[in-house]
């Protein structure tokens, strides 16, 4: 065991008893390289983070240029910092006009927390709903919205006035009432194992929220920034939320999140009380510079229009008797097997063969695929060949 690995296990707080424990030396494009000299094709992008690939040259250039100017200068919202203003303007230019103000955060969970506070201020209500099998983060407010009791029970009591509805269930929309401040919904459920929303459900959800004065919050932390073949998944449905949550792929590999709403609603966080929502490092200038550069890459290199073609190649190649189903939303795919044991053996077989894959928190029998949007056809073919070899190796 190397000294770095020893320190990892001794001094770095662990999140499980079975970390991957790859000792990373560098990463480039779709590939990760270890200090032992082995390279791995990254099919999960750090969990939907590196949409423009690892260390894209345009992103690196933007980071370097910002490093030569300034890092942190003041807590959020006090100084005018061009990386924030330029990124906010660029992002809003791609969104519907009612989503014209961004509050930058450090992470997706912080975006959820901010949106919960915003919903209470806008509506004057307390109840917040979310969906079963939803994942919104691990801080206490976000955890209160998580759709799995397994992850929540050890940390109760959590926030009161929260409740769960069934995703894609029209009957459950009656749970949204004039007492509901907001409902948080993933247009495509990620940790459930890639479960897309139905068109009729999301349209009825929008209508019910409008009728009851409830804010519709779309959590696109995992599906945003081109992952599904549009900049955001809600564009597939032509259903516009009142609040949009972003993170993961937002920062081009740097830690960045945000919640987006109308400027009129956002202003409520600045008064009664003043500084109603604050953060020290949210919207860090280096992270925002990277985020803007990554957004530019998505459009300048036409990465988003290529997603469906790359998705179709994955789906066409992933055919095997042991594969029960391939659910997909662009380059977010779930390859389902009969059980968790089979899935874990396939994941292990892929890792041995130089391909990094994963599972889903609320669907342990499905293999997660969320590669960089820059992945090439040759890399997709190598990935699928490796997955099929791993299936054959664990079932023979």
């Amino acid at each position: 065991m190397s000294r770095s690995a020893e320190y990892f296990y001794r001094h770095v707080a662990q999140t499980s008893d079975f970390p991957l424990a790859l000792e990373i030396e560098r990463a480039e494009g779709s590939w990760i390289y270890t200090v032992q000299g082995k390279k791995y094709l990254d099919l999960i992008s750090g969990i939907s983070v590196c949409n423009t690939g690892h260390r894209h040259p345009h992103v690196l250039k933007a980071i370097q240029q910002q490093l030569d100017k300034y890092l942190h200068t003041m807590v959020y919202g006090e100084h005018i910092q061009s990386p924030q203003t330029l990124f906010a303007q660029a992002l809003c230019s791609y969104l519907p006009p009612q989503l014209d103000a961004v509050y930058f955060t450090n992470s997706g969970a912080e975006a959820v927390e901010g949106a919960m506070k915003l919903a209470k201020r806008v509506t004057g209500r307390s109840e917040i709903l979310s969906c079963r099998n939803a994942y919104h983060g691990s801080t206490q407010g976000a955890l209160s919205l998580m759709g799995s009791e397994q992850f929540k029970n050890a940390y109760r009591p959590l926030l009161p006035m929260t409740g769960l509805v069934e995703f894609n269930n029209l009957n459950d929309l009656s749970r949204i009432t004039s007492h509901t401040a907001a409902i948080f919904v993933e247009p495509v459920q990620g940790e459930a194992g890639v479960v897309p929303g139905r068109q009729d459900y999301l349209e009825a959800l929008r209508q019910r929220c409008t009728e009851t004065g409830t804010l519709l919050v779309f959590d696109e932390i995992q599906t945003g920034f081109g992952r599904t073949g549009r900049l955001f998944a809600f564009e597939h449905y032509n259903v516009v939320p009142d609040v949009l949550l972003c993170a993961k792929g937002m920062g081009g590999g740097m830690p960045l999140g945000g919640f987006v709403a109308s400027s009129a609603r956002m202003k409520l966080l600045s008064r009664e009380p003043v500084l109603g929502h604050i953060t020290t490092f949210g919207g860090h200038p280096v992270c925002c510079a990277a985020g803007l550069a990554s957004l530019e890459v998505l459009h300048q290199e036409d990465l988003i229009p290529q997603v469906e073609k790359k998705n179709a190649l994955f789906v066409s190649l992933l055919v095997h008797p042991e594969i029960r189903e391939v659910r997909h939303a662009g380059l977010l795919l779930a390859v389902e097997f009969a059980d968790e044991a089979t899935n874990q053996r396939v994941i292990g077989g892929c890792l041995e063969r130089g391909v990094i894959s994963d599972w889903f928190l609320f669907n342990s029998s499905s293999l997660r695929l969320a590669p960089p949007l820059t992945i090439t056809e040759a890399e997709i073919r190598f990935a699928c060949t490796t997955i099929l070899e791993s299936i054959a190796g664990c079932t023979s």
Side-chain angles (χ1 to χ4, degrees):
M1 180 184 296
S2 70
R3 178 170 294 183
S4 183
E6 179 185 346
Y7 291 166
F8 172 79
Y9 286 107
R10 181 179 299 179
H11 298 297
V12 177
Q14 302 292 298
T15 58
S16 76
D17 292 329
F18 42 88
L20 278 176
L22 297 179
E23 195 167 348
I24 308 302
E25 181 179 51
R26 64 186 179 91
E28 197 88 30
S30 300
W31 297 87
I32 291 175
Y33 301 82
T34 69
V35 296
Q36 291 81 18
K38 187 168 182 177
K39 71 174 187 176
Y40 295 86
L41 179 62
D42 182 7
L43 289 187
I44 55 175
S45 307
I47 309 299
S48 300
V49 168
C50 302
N51 288 12
T52 53
H54 293 282
R55 302 178 66 250
H56 191 285
H58 187 60
V59 175
L60 291 184
K61 181 179 179 181
I63 291 172
Q64 184 62 60
Q65 289 177 340
Q66 185 56 41
L67 290 178
D68 290 337
K69 295 177 181 178
Y70 57 87
L71 302 181
H72 176 78
T73 63
M74 183 57 170
V75 296
Y76 186 84
E78 295 295 329
H79 290 174
I80 298 173
Q81 302 179 45
S82 63
Q84 286 183 358
T85 59
L86 293 175
F87 188 26
Q89 187 280 327
L91 178 57
C92 290
S93 73
Y94 290 105
L95 294 173
Q98 59 266 54
L99 297 173
D100 65 348
V102 186
Y103 193 113
F104 289 113
T105 64
N106 299 285
S107 68
E110 289 184 36
V112 171
E113 298 283 349
M116 293 173 74
K117 291 174 67 177
L118 179 64
K120 291 179 178 180
R121 281 304 312 276
V122 169
T123 65
R125 305 171 186 175
S126 301
E127 181 185 64
I128 299 180
L129 301 177
S130 54
C131 295
R132 290 184 177 84
N133 289 332
Y135 180 84
H136 296 294
S138 290
T139 51
Q140 293 227 30
L143 186 63
S144 301
L145 303 185
M146 188 183 292
S148 169
E149 290 302 316
Q150 174 187 354
F151 286 87
K152 296 164 75 164
N153 282 336
Y155 302 102
R156 292 190 182 278
L158 294 169
L159 289 184
M161 302 294 291
T162 59
L164 296 175
V165 300
E166 198 72 38
F167 185 61
N168 275 337
N169 187 324
L170 291 169
N171 293 329
D172 263 13
L173 295 182
S174 62
R175 293 282 310 280
I176 304 170
T177 71
S178 58
H179 299 290
T180 309
I183 180 168
F184 284 63
V185 176
E186 301 163 281
V188 178
Q189 286 199 317
E191 297 305 324
V194 189
V195 180
R198 295 199 322 265
Q199 182 71 41
D200 63 334
Y201 173 77
L202 293 178
E203 289 178 354
L205 172 64
R206 173 68 274 177
Q207 182 178 348
R208 181 64 178 172
C209 287
T210 301
E211 291 170 352
T212 60
T214 300
L215 293 193
L216 175 57
V217 182
F218 275 168
D219 182 339
E220 296 235 28
I221 291 167
Q222 190 164 179
T223 53
F225 294 92
R227 176 61 51 191
T228 68
R230 298 285 180 90
L231 187 60
F232 291 98
F234 75 80
E235 297 175 63
H236 292 285
Y237 301 96
N238 198 29
V239 174
V240 180
D242 299 297
V243 184
L244 176 67
L245 308 182
C246 329
K248 290 190 179 291
M250 184 178 192
M254 295 292 284
L256 185 63
F259 56 105
V260 189
S262 70
S263 56
R265 285 169 169 161
M266 284 291 197
K267 285 177 182 176
L268 293 174
L269 295 176
S270 67
R271 59 176 76 107
E272 298 178 355
V274 66
L275 305 176
H277 191 66
I278 53 178
T279 172
T280 298
F281 294 114
H284 191 281
V286 177
C287 298
C288 284
L292 175 58
S294 185
L295 182 64
E296 290 169 347
V297 169
L298 289 175
H299 290 96
Q300 291 171 2
E301 298 186 7
D302 289 326
L303 293 179
I304 298 175
Q306 299 173 36
V307 165
E308 283 306 319
K309 181 180 179 181
K310 294 176 180 180
N311 163 281
L313 183 57
F314 267 112
V315 173
S316 69
L317 295 174
L318 289 173
V319 178
H320 190 281
E322 294 294 329
I323 296 177
R324 300 292 182 90
E325 182 182 16
V326 179
R327 293 180 301 279
H328 51 91
L331 284 176
L332 180 63
L333 302 97
V335 183
E336 184 157 339
F337 299 104
D339 49 45
E340 178 181 0
T342 301
N343 190 36
Q344 289 298 332
R345 287 195 295 270
V346 174
I347 291 172
C350 286
L351 194 63
E352 291 175 2
R353 292 169 172 84
V355 169
I356 299 173
S357 55
D358 201 9
W359 46 286
F360 296 91
L361 286 180
F362 310 139
N363 189 324
S364 58
S365 62
S366 291
L367 181 79
R368 180 200 300 267
L369 300 178
L373 307 190
T374 54
I375 192 170
T376 66
E377 178 179 325
E379 289 168 342
I380 292 173
R381 292 185 181 279
F382 169 73
C384 292
T385 297
T386 303
I387 293 169
L388 296 177
E389 288 175 351
S390 299
I391 296 172
C394 75
T395 58
S396 59

